[in-house]
């Protein structure tokens, strides 16, 4: 009798280090919606702050349990000191100048730049929660948004499979130059996660191991 159990052994194990709970809950919501190809087995880690990202990344990269380790974080506002520090440490860890460009998924100035694209074309101009709170309330009804755990979980209810398509379209229109306000490379990674061809994982690893 043929074995009818699903073949999980051929799934590609990817780990994403998330800056904090907002990033973690957002990607977890997209996982729940199953908008990505099933061949990608994506695990999420909440770094609980951007200062912890490099150490979390190195730990997951060195444990050998994943084919690829990525980072999802904010750039914050200029001069992007903490973001640039993360990039510098990732580059130093791999010993090449462009490693960070291959593995960091970013939203400039913040992750709300991406999340809000599920509902609007409007760009976020500041990472400050009080400034963005009215926009969040307009589309989700969540008042005085400060990215508290309960608030984040409530906002995630307004992320749907249908408006995921809208988000991808809108994010693809953003520049991917991380030093420019209103930028993100999120669309690029969504296309990769939706791709049947997993060769992109090997290409990134080839660059990291040069």
């Amino acid at each position: 009798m043929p074995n009818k159990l699903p073949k999980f052994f051929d799934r590609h194990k990817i780990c994403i280090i998330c800056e904090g709970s907002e990033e973690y809950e957002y990607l977890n919501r997209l996982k729940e919606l199953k908008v990505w190809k099933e061949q990608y087995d994506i695990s999420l880690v909440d770094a609980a702050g951007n200062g912890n990202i490099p150490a979390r990344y190195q730990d997951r990269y060195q444990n050998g349990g994943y084919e690829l380790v990525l980072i999802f974080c904010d750039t914050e506002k200029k001069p992007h000191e903490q973001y640039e520090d993360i990039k510098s440490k990732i580059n130093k860890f791999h010993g090449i100048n462009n490693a960070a460009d291959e593995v960091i998924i970013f939203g400039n100035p913040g992750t709300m730049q991406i999340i809000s694209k599920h509902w609007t074309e409007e760009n976020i101009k500041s990472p400050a929660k009080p400034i963005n709170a009215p926009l969040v309330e307009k589309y989700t009804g969540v008042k005085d948004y400060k990215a508290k755990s309960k608030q984040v979980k409530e906002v995630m209810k307004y992320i749907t499979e249908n408006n995921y398509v809208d988000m991808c379209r809108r994010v693809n229109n953003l520049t991917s130059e991380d030093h420019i306000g209103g930028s993100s490379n999120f669309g690029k990674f969504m296309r990769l996660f939706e791709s049947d061809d997993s060769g992109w994982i090997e290409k990134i690893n080839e660059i990291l191991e040069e």
Side-chain angles (χ1 to χ4, degrees):
M1 185 175 178
N3 185 353
K4 294 185 178 181
L5 291 173
K7 294 181 179 179
F8 291 111
F9 59 81
D10 59 354
R11 298 180 71 197
H12 300 283
K13 293 178 70 66
I14 299 171
C15 178
I16 305 179
I17 310 298
C18 302
E19 178 177 329
S21 60
E22 194 174 44
E23 290 78 16
Y24 178 93
E25 293 293 348
Y26 176 55
L27 292 187
N28 193 54
R29 176 60 175 165
L30 296 185
K31 281 183 64 176
E32 291 173 350
L33 294 175
K34 301 185 185 303
V35 291
W36 303 326
K37 291 294 183 181
E38 194 175 348
Q39 67 169 324
Y40 303 115
D41 180 8
I42 298 176
S43 300
L44 306 175
V45 173
D46 182 351
N50 54 19
N52 299 322
I53 288 175
R56 298 285 191 278
Y57 175 87
Q58 292 176 32
D59 176 66
R60 294 309 191 280
Y61 186 88
Q62 290 175 323
N63 80 12
Y66 304 97
E67 286 183 59
L68 183 67
V69 182
L70 302 171
I71 292 166
F72 182 32
C73 64
D74 297 344
T75 65
E76 297 293 345
K77 57 188 177 182
K78 290 182 179 180
H80 314 303
E81 290 179 355
Q82 292 170 314
Y83 174 71
E84 291 297 337
D85 184 57
I86 291 169
K87 290 178 67 175
S88 176
K89 287 177 178 176
I90 297 304
N91 289 340
K92 186 176 180 180
F93 172 70
H94 285 289
I96 59 173
N97 292 329
N98 61 332
D101 295 332
E102 298 296 327
V103 301
I104 292 181
I105 308 168
F106 71 89
N108 180 329
T111 303
M112 189 52 67
Q113 188 72 267
I114 299 162
I115 296 174
S116 65
K117 288 293 183 282
H118 284 264
W119 315 302
T120 178
E121 299 276 0
E122 185 178 347
N123 272 357
I124 299 296
K125 299 196 171 48
S126 168
K129 297 296 188 290
I131 293 176
N132 298 321
L135 182 144
V136 175
E137 182 177 355
K138 178 179 179 180
Y139 292 104
T140 69
V142 176
K143 296 181 179 180
D144 193 25
Y145 183 73
K146 296 177 180 176
K148 293 180 179 178
S149 178
K150 188 175 180 180
Q151 290 178 320
V152 174
K153 290 181 185 298
E154 183 63 27
V155 165
M156 290 308 119
K157 295 177 183 178
Y158 294 86
I159 303 295
T160 67
E161 189 173 353
N162 286 338
N163 63 35
Y164 167 82
V165 176
D166 296 329
M167 178 277 295
C168 288
R169 173 178 54 80
R170 289 165 177 156
V171 169
N172 282 334
N173 290 329
L174 299 176
T175 178
S176 58
E177 297 291 331
D178 60 6
H179 62 282
I180 297 176
S183 61
S184 178
N185 63 352
F186 196 73
K188 165 192 166 183
F189 282 92
M190 293 306 96
R191 292 193 295 274
L192 295 176
F193 293 166
E194 293 170 9
S195 173
D196 288 317
D197 181 2
S198 62
W200 60 273
I201 296 175
E202 187 175 349
K203 289 178 182 177
I204 291 177
N205 281 320
E206 286 174 355
I207 294 171
L208 297 180
E209 294 162 9
E210 282 181 352

